[in-house]
Amino acid sequence: MSRTAPSHPEPTRLVRISIRWILGKILGGIFVLWAVATAIFFGLRMIPGDPVEAIMGGPGSQASPEALAAARAQYGLDLPLAVQYIRQMGQLATGDLGTSYALKSPVAEVLGELLPATLILAALALLVAWVMALVLAVLSSRGGVVGSALASGLEIASAAVPHFWLASVLIMVFSSMLGWLPPVSSNSPAGQILPVITLALPLAGFLGQVMRDTMAQAQRSEFALSARARGESETGVLLRHSLRHAALPGIALSGWALGSLLSGAVVVESIFARPGIGRSLLSAVTSRDIPLVTGVALLSATVYIVIMALSDVLERIVDPRIGRS
């Protein structure tokens, strides 16, 4: 008499899936970092001008031809382009980001000083954007026709607002006219408000659009109908079921969202005179500071890769069905 084997996943199969998933993330991350480093290497060398001038203090340094030749030889800029590329990839593979041309300091130290300010700004903006998006999604699903139209209009308008225009309007209204908030960012809570709102509002509009559709589907789904049949109130269905499903697309987009915030930080940090990697990146590109530009780009890519991996893990926690395939 044969017995039916219990239908549960084999531990060895789950381990193989986990190892394959981790290896895939690591290899994918390495490929992304290599692609970013390659794009930065060739992109910066296509910009008109001589990077040696940045090493010698800029175009106005009036360095002698002998000094320029010595600096070019010291940094290997007199070598063929293919040799320069191989040398830089080998240097980056060892974790050596080089020395900033303009700041005359190791790039790793410069990034270590600037990164916390930008990460705090991006994290606060992501949190505020999530809160705004959830409020818009709830308003759209519970506010009837008027609430849905109002929320949809706010989402479209906020998603379409460029950072530089929004920052200018906020400074004009809340700093120049009302005098409530400082126009220049600082470490005080008041100095964080305008930069955070400038970054969060466009992202909130985009996330709200994505969450609204998912929440509407969740409200009409079978599990929502079953919960109502069991006597669950509309508020209970919203809090216990619909919000969780509406959050899934937002979680999936969190890596992209953080990358968008880091790119937006270039504009926001410049407008609000806020120290950070975004403002330093703009200055480094202008002065052709190749090591610093490369370091900032690789750091941003690394943060993006880590957040994407954490988003995948969080998706599997919120919806375990994702990890079963």
Side-chain angles (χ1 to χ4, degrees):
M1 182 175 182
S2 61
R3 296 182 179 180
T4 304
S7 58
H8 57 79
E10 298 180 2
T12 54
R13 178 176 176 272
L14 295 178
V15 170
R16 286 197 303 269
I17 294 175
S18 299
I19 294 176
R20 187 166 62 247
W21 182 82
I22 293 173
L23 289 177
K25 290 295 180 182
I26 293 175
L27 293 176
I30 293 174
F31 174 78
V32 170
L33 293 177
W34 168 79
V36 169
T38 300
I40 293 295
F41 177 86
F42 290 104
L44 288 177
R45 282 157 178 80
M46 293 175 62
I47 299 176
D50 190 351
V52 179
E53 292 182 350
I55 300 174
M56 303 304 294
S61 62
Q62 297 181 351
S64 65
E66 292 78 11
L68 291 175
R72 192 173 287 108
Q74 178 183 353
Y75 287 90
L77 296 175
D78 58 340
L79 299 173
L81 190 61
V83 177
Q84 293 183 42
Y85 173 75
I86 294 173
R87 287 184 58 178
Q88 180 165 330
M89 293 300 108
Q91 179 180 331
L92 294 176
T94 63
D96 183 6
L97 299 177
T99 301
S100 169
Y101 294 163
L103 302 177
K104 310 301 181 185
S105 299
V107 173
E109 294 182 6
V110 175
L111 297 179
E113 295 174 359
L114 299 175
L115 180 61
T118 300
L119 285 184
I120 290 173
L121 176 64
L124 290 175
L126 185 60
L127 177 62
V128 172
W130 260 90
V131 173
M132 290 180 177
L134 288 175
V135 170
L136 289 174
V138 172
L139 178 63
S140 177
S141 63
R142 299 293 302 275
V145 177
V146 176
S148 178
L150 178 61
S152 178
L154 291 174
E155 290 166 356
I156 295 173
S158 59
V161 172
H163 290 120
F164 70 88
W165 184 86
L166 179 59
S168 302
V169 171
L170 292 177
I171 291 175
M172 182 178 64
V173 174
F174 293 100
S175 298
S176 301
M177 296 176 58
L178 300 177
W180 292 352
L181 299 170
V184 177
S185 180
S186 62
N187 293 326
S188 63
Q192 303 275 359
I193 294 176
L194 291 184
V196 168
I197 293 177
T198 302
L199 276 178
L201 193 58
L203 178 60
F206 182 81
L207 292 177
Q209 289 177 315
V210 176
M211 292 181 184
R212 172 164 51 89
D213 295 337
T214 308
M215 181 172 288
Q217 294 176 2
Q219 292 282 67
R220 300 189 299 266
S221 62
E222 294 181 357
F223 62 81
L225 296 176
S226 299
R228 293 188 185 97
R230 293 193 302 268
E232 189 82 49
S233 64
E234 288 297 326
T235 302
V237 172
L238 176 68
L239 296 178
R240 298 180 183 178
H241 304 284
S242 300
L243 279 181
R244 185 179 68 176
H245 288 269
L248 284 174
I251 294 173
L253 290 172
S254 291
W256 168 87
L258 187 61
S260 175
L261 293 175
L262 291 177
S263 63
V266 176
V267 176
V268 172
E269 290 177 350
S270 299
I271 293 177
F272 290 99
R274 178 187 176 88
I277 61 174
R279 186 181 177 191
S280 298
L281 176 61
L282 181 62
S283 176
V285 171
T286 304
S287 62
R288 291 178 60 89
D289 192 342
I290 295 175
L292 186 55
V293 173
T294 304
V296 171
L298 290 177
L299 177 63
S300 302
T302 302
V303 172
Y304 173 82
I305 292 168
V306 172
I307 294 300
M308 286 296 293
L310 293 178
S311 299
D312 287 347
V313 173
L314 189 56
E315 278 188 279
R316 284 164 168 76
I317 294 175
V318 175
D319 189 357
R321 295 173 300 176
I322 296 177
R324 293 175 185 171
S325 57

Short mmCIF file of all heavy atoms in Angstrom, two decimals, residues 40 44 110-111 114 118 262-267 269-270 276-298 300:
data_model
loop_
_atom_site.label_atom_id
_atom_site.label_comp_id
_atom_site.label_asym_id
_atom_site.label_seq_id
_atom_site.Cartn_x
_atom_site.Cartn_y
_atom_site.Cartn_z
N ILE A 40 30.92 56.17 -16.88
CA ILE A 40 31.53 57.38 -16.34
C ILE A 40 32.91 57.60 -16.96
O ILE A 40 33.28 58.73 -17.33
CB ILE A 40 31.64 57.30 -14.81
CG1 ILE A 40 30.24 57.32 -14.19
CG2 ILE A 40 32.49 58.43 -14.26
CD1 ILE A 40 29.49 58.60 -14.40
N LEU A 44 33.11 61.02 -19.26
CA LEU A 44 33.88 62.19 -18.84
C LEU A 44 34.97 62.54 -19.84
O LEU A 44 35.33 63.71 -20.00
CB LEU A 44 34.49 61.93 -17.46
CG LEU A 44 33.51 61.93 -16.29
CD1 LEU A 44 34.24 61.59 -14.99
CD2 LEU A 44 32.83 63.29 -16.16
N VAL A 110 36.10 61.82 1.40
CA VAL A 110 35.15 62.86 1.00
C VAL A 110 33.73 62.32 1.02
O VAL A 110 32.81 62.96 1.55
CB VAL A 110 35.51 63.41 -0.39
CG1 VAL A 110 34.45 64.42 -0.85
CG2 VAL A 110 36.88 64.07 -0.37
N LEU A 111 33.54 61.13 0.45
CA LEU A 111 32.21 60.53 0.43
C LEU A 111 31.73 60.19 1.83
O LEU A 111 30.54 60.32 2.13
CB LEU A 111 32.22 59.28 -0.45
CG LEU A 111 32.52 59.50 -1.93
CD1 LEU A 111 32.50 58.17 -2.67
CD2 LEU A 111 31.53 60.46 -2.55
N LEU A 114 30.30 63.36 3.26
CA LEU A 114 29.13 63.93 2.60
C LEU A 114 27.93 63.00 2.58
O LEU A 114 26.78 63.46 2.51
CB LEU A 114 29.49 64.30 1.15
CG LEU A 114 30.59 65.34 0.97
CD1 LEU A 114 30.91 65.50 -0.51
CD2 LEU A 114 30.19 66.68 1.58
N THR A 118 23.23 63.46 2.75
CA THR A 118 22.37 63.13 1.61
C THR A 118 21.45 61.96 1.93
O THR A 118 20.28 61.95 1.53
CB THR A 118 23.24 62.81 0.38
OG1 THR A 118 24.03 63.94 0.06
CG2 THR A 118 22.38 62.46 -0.81
N LEU A 262 18.17 60.51 -5.04
CA LEU A 262 19.60 60.85 -5.08
C LEU A 262 19.91 61.74 -6.28
O LEU A 262 20.73 62.66 -6.18
CB LEU A 262 20.44 59.56 -5.14
CG LEU A 262 20.45 58.71 -3.87
CD1 LEU A 262 21.27 57.44 -4.08
CD2 LEU A 262 21.01 59.49 -2.69
N SER A 263 19.27 61.47 -7.42
CA SER A 263 19.49 62.34 -8.57
C SER A 263 18.86 63.71 -8.34
O SER A 263 19.42 64.74 -8.74
CB SER A 263 18.91 61.70 -9.83
OG SER A 263 17.50 61.53 -9.71
N GLY A 264 17.69 63.74 -7.70
CA GLY A 264 17.07 65.02 -7.38
C GLY A 264 17.85 65.81 -6.36
O GLY A 264 17.76 67.05 -6.31
N ALA A 265 18.65 65.12 -5.54
CA ALA A 265 19.46 65.81 -4.54
C ALA A 265 20.50 66.73 -5.18
O ALA A 265 20.94 67.70 -4.55
CB ALA A 265 20.16 64.80 -3.64
N VAL A 266 20.90 66.44 -6.42
CA VAL A 266 21.85 67.33 -7.11
C VAL A 266 21.26 68.72 -7.23
O VAL A 266 21.94 69.73 -6.96
CB VAL A 266 22.19 66.75 -8.51
CG1 VAL A 266 23.09 67.71 -9.27
CG2 VAL A 266 22.85 65.39 -8.38
N VAL A 267 19.99 68.81 -7.61
CA VAL A 267 19.33 70.10 -7.77
C VAL A 267 18.99 70.70 -6.41
O VAL A 267 19.25 71.88 -6.15
CB VAL A 267 18.05 69.94 -8.62
CG1 VAL A 267 17.28 71.26 -8.71
CG2 VAL A 267 18.40 69.42 -10.00
N GLU A 269 20.15 70.13 -3.29
CA GLU A 269 21.28 70.55 -2.47
C GLU A 269 21.95 71.80 -3.02
O GLU A 269 22.46 72.63 -2.25
CB GLU A 269 22.29 69.41 -2.36
CG GLU A 269 21.80 68.25 -1.51
CD GLU A 269 22.78 67.09 -1.46
OE1 GLU A 269 23.75 67.10 -2.23
OE2 GLU A 269 22.57 66.16 -0.66
N SER A 270 21.94 71.97 -4.32
CA SER A 270 22.52 73.17 -4.92
C SER A 270 21.65 74.39 -4.63
O SER A 270 22.16 75.46 -4.28
CB SER A 270 22.69 72.99 -6.43
OG SER A 270 23.56 71.91 -6.72
N GLY A 276 26.37 67.89 0.55
CA GLY A 276 25.99 66.52 0.27
C GLY A 276 26.63 66.04 -1.01
O GLY A 276 27.29 66.81 -1.72
N ILE A 277 26.40 64.77 -1.32
CA ILE A 277 27.04 64.21 -2.51
C ILE A 277 26.43 64.76 -3.79
O ILE A 277 27.10 64.82 -4.83
CB ILE A 277 26.97 62.66 -2.50
CG1 ILE A 277 25.51 62.18 -2.51
CG2 ILE A 277 27.71 62.10 -1.31
CD1 ILE A 277 25.38 60.68 -2.66
N GLY A 278 25.17 65.18 -3.77
CA GLY A 278 24.56 65.74 -4.96
C GLY A 278 25.20 67.05 -5.36
O GLY A 278 25.56 67.26 -6.52
N ARG A 279 25.35 67.93 -4.41
CA ARG A 279 25.99 69.23 -4.69
C ARG A 279 27.45 69.04 -5.08
O ARG A 279 27.96 69.72 -5.98
CB ARG A 279 25.87 70.11 -3.46
CG ARG A 279 26.36 71.54 -3.64
CD ARG A 279 26.23 72.30 -2.34
NE ARG A 279 26.74 73.65 -2.46
CZ ARG A 279 26.93 74.45 -1.41
NH1 ARG A 279 26.62 74.03 -0.19
NH2 ARG A 279 27.40 75.67 -1.58
N SER A 280 28.13 68.11 -4.42
CA SER A 280 29.54 67.85 -4.75
C SER A 280 29.68 67.23 -6.13
O SER A 280 30.65 67.50 -6.84
CB SER A 280 30.15 66.92 -3.70
OG SER A 280 30.13 67.54 -2.42
N LEU A 281 28.70 66.41 -6.53
CA LEU A 281 28.74 65.81 -7.87
C LEU A 281 28.65 66.89 -8.94
O LEU A 281 29.39 66.85 -9.93
CB LEU A 281 27.59 64.82 -8.02
CG LEU A 281 27.44 64.17 -9.41
CD1 LEU A 281 28.69 63.39 -9.77
CD2 LEU A 281 26.21 63.28 -9.45
N LEU A 282 27.77 67.86 -8.76
CA LEU A 282 27.65 68.94 -9.72
C LEU A 282 28.95 69.72 -9.84
O LEU A 282 29.42 70.03 -10.95
CB LEU A 282 26.50 69.87 -9.32
CG LEU A 282 26.23 71.05 -10.25
CD1 LEU A 282 25.83 70.55 -11.63
CD2 LEU A 282 25.13 71.94 -9.67
N SER A 283 29.55 70.02 -8.71
CA SER A 283 30.83 70.74 -8.72
C SER A 283 31.93 69.90 -9.36
O SER A 283 32.77 70.42 -10.10
CB SER A 283 31.22 71.13 -7.29
OG SER A 283 32.48 71.74 -7.25
N ALA A 284 31.93 68.58 -9.08
CA ALA A 284 32.97 67.71 -9.62
C ALA A 284 32.86 67.57 -11.14
O ALA A 284 33.86 67.55 -11.85
CB ALA A 284 32.89 66.34 -8.97
N VAL A 285 31.62 67.48 -11.66
CA VAL A 285 31.45 67.39 -13.10
C VAL A 285 31.90 68.68 -13.77
O VAL A 285 32.56 68.66 -14.83
CB VAL A 285 29.97 67.10 -13.44
CG1 VAL A 285 29.72 67.22 -14.93
CG2 VAL A 285 29.59 65.71 -12.96
N THR A 286 31.59 69.82 -13.16
CA THR A 286 31.98 71.11 -13.73
C THR A 286 33.50 71.25 -13.80
O THR A 286 34.05 71.77 -14.77
CB THR A 286 31.39 72.26 -12.90
OG1 THR A 286 29.97 72.11 -12.84
CG2 THR A 286 31.72 73.60 -13.52
N SER A 287 34.18 70.76 -12.75
CA SER A 287 35.65 70.88 -12.70
C SER A 287 36.37 69.66 -13.27
O SER A 287 37.60 69.57 -13.16
CB SER A 287 36.09 71.11 -11.26
OG SER A 287 35.75 70.00 -10.44
N ARG A 288 35.61 68.70 -13.82
CA ARG A 288 36.19 67.47 -14.41
C ARG A 288 37.01 66.70 -13.38
O ARG A 288 38.09 66.19 -13.68
CB ARG A 288 37.05 67.81 -15.63
CG ARG A 288 36.27 68.31 -16.81
CD ARG A 288 37.18 68.66 -17.98
NE ARG A 288 37.94 67.51 -18.42
CZ ARG A 288 37.53 66.64 -19.34
NH1 ARG A 288 36.35 66.80 -19.88
NH2 ARG A 288 38.28 65.63 -19.72
N ASP A 289 36.50 66.63 -12.17
CA ASP A 289 37.16 65.87 -11.11
C ASP A 289 36.76 64.40 -11.28
O ASP A 289 35.81 63.92 -10.66
CB ASP A 289 36.73 66.41 -9.74
CG ASP A 289 37.58 65.87 -8.60
OD1 ASP A 289 38.27 64.85 -8.81
OD2 ASP A 289 37.58 66.47 -7.53
N ILE A 290 37.48 63.69 -12.13
CA ILE A 290 37.10 62.34 -12.54
C ILE A 290 36.99 61.37 -11.36
O ILE A 290 36.01 60.63 -11.25
CB ILE A 290 38.09 61.81 -13.60
CG1 ILE A 290 37.98 62.65 -14.87
CG2 ILE A 290 37.81 60.34 -13.92
CD1 ILE A 290 38.98 62.30 -15.94
N PRO A 291 37.97 61.32 -10.44
CA PRO A 291 37.84 60.37 -9.33
C PRO A 291 36.61 60.62 -8.46
O PRO A 291 35.93 59.67 -8.05
CB PRO A 291 39.13 60.57 -8.53
CG PRO A 291 40.10 61.12 -9.52
CD PRO A 291 39.29 61.99 -10.43
N LEU A 292 36.30 61.89 -8.19
CA LEU A 292 35.15 62.19 -7.34
C LEU A 292 33.85 61.87 -8.05
O LEU A 292 32.91 61.33 -7.44
CB LEU A 292 35.17 63.66 -6.91
CG LEU A 292 34.09 64.09 -5.91
CD1 LEU A 292 34.13 63.21 -4.67
CD2 LEU A 292 34.26 65.55 -5.52
N VAL A 293 33.75 62.18 -9.34
CA VAL A 293 32.54 61.84 -10.09
C VAL A 293 32.34 60.33 -10.11
O VAL A 293 31.22 59.83 -9.90
CB VAL A 293 32.63 62.39 -11.53
CG1 VAL A 293 31.46 61.88 -12.37
CG2 VAL A 293 32.65 63.91 -11.53
N THR A 294 33.41 59.60 -10.35
CA THR A 294 33.32 58.13 -10.37
C THR A 294 32.91 57.60 -9.01
O THR A 294 32.05 56.71 -8.92
CB THR A 294 34.66 57.53 -10.79
OG1 THR A 294 35.07 58.06 -12.06
CG2 THR A 294 34.56 56.02 -10.91
N GLY A 295 33.48 58.14 -7.96
CA GLY A 295 33.15 57.67 -6.61
C GLY A 295 31.70 57.93 -6.25
O GLY A 295 31.01 57.06 -5.70
N VAL A 296 31.20 59.13 -6.58
CA VAL A 296 29.80 59.44 -6.28
C VAL A 296 28.86 58.54 -7.07
O VAL A 296 27.86 58.03 -6.55
CB VAL A 296 29.52 60.93 -6.59
CG1 VAL A 296 28.02 61.21 -6.49
CG2 VAL A 296 30.29 61.83 -5.63
N ALA A 297 29.18 58.31 -8.36
CA ALA A 297 28.32 57.47 -9.19
C ALA A 297 28.30 56.03 -8.67
O ALA A 297 27.23 55.40 -8.60
CB ALA A 297 28.81 57.51 -10.64
N LEU A 298 29.46 55.50 -8.31
CA LEU A 298 29.51 54.13 -7.79
C LEU A 298 28.82 54.02 -6.45
O LEU A 298 28.15 53.01 -6.16
CB LEU A 298 30.97 53.67 -7.68
CG LEU A 298 31.70 53.43 -9.01
CD1 LEU A 298 33.16 53.06 -8.76
CD2 LEU A 298 31.01 52.34 -9.82
N SER A 300 26.30 55.89 -5.40
CA SER A 300 24.86 55.95 -5.66
C SER A 300 24.35 54.62 -6.21
O SER A 300 23.27 54.15 -5.82
CB SER A 300 24.56 57.08 -6.64
OG SER A 300 25.01 58.32 -6.14
#
